[in-house]
Amino acid sequence: QVQLVESGGGLVQAGGSLRLSCAASGRTLSSYVMAWFRQAPGKEREFVSFINWSGSSTYYAASMKGRCTISRDNAKNTVYLQMNSLKPEDTAVYYCAAGRGTPRPAFTSAYDVWGQGTQVTVSS
């Protein structure tokens, strides 16, 4: 089974940018569809973005559309989330997730494997 490790989180001022990475090991990432979710303190985990096996199809939550871009490099077994124009309400732990394919990409139940998360903090 694939293992996922996120990186790239940190503290950034409002309006700034961050690029998160999700590195996979154990199995080739091209076998999986991938997504990013986030969870703020006291809130449920929520969907951010999705990318299919080849990267030809992507999907974004309304709250992030236009401010982030998901991409993948299957040769490097890595998925990325570029986030721009960050807001304090984007503060959360960001998780990447891997699944075999789903008609419901925004649901946590669609994914079998999760990383440990990386903290993103946006100051006002």
Side-chain angles (χ1 to χ4, degrees):
Q1 182 158 320
V2 68
Q3 291 85 43
L4 305 174
V5 178
E6 302 94 336
S7 62
L11 174 64
V12 64
Q13 288 187 334
S17 299
L18 281 175
R19 188 195 196 201
L20 306 184
S21 298
C22 174
S25 63
R27 298 195 70 170
T28 178
L29 200 60
S30 61
S31 301
Y32 296 87
V33 297
M34 300 295 295
W36 287 93
F37 287 76
R38 67 186 182 185
Q39 189 166 18
K43 295 187 177 181
E44 292 188 355
R45 194 167 296 190
E46 65 173 3
F47 171 76
V48 175
S49 183
F50 163 88
I51 190 166
N52 72 345
W53 300 270
S54 66
S56 61
S57 177
T58 58
Y59 175 54
Y60 298 94
S63 61
M64 293 299 288
K65 197 169 185 178
R67 299 194 296 122
C68 74
T69 302
I70 190 171
S71 61
R72 66 191 297 163
D73 186 338
N74 286 338
K76 294 183 178 180
N77 259 11
T78 304
V79 175
Y80 305 97
L81 185 69
Q82 175 69 42
M83 301 189 292
N84 303 317
S85 302
L86 284 163
K87 305 174 183 180
E89 51 263 44
D90 295 321
T91 295
V93 177
Y94 283 71
Y95 299 89
C96 67
R100 291 296 190 174
T102 174
R104 307 175 77 187
F107 288 78
T108 57
S109 58
Y111 302 93
D112 307 308
V113 182
W114 294 80
Q116 84 289 348
T118 185
Q119 176 71 46
V120 171
T121 303
V122 184
S123 63
S124 57

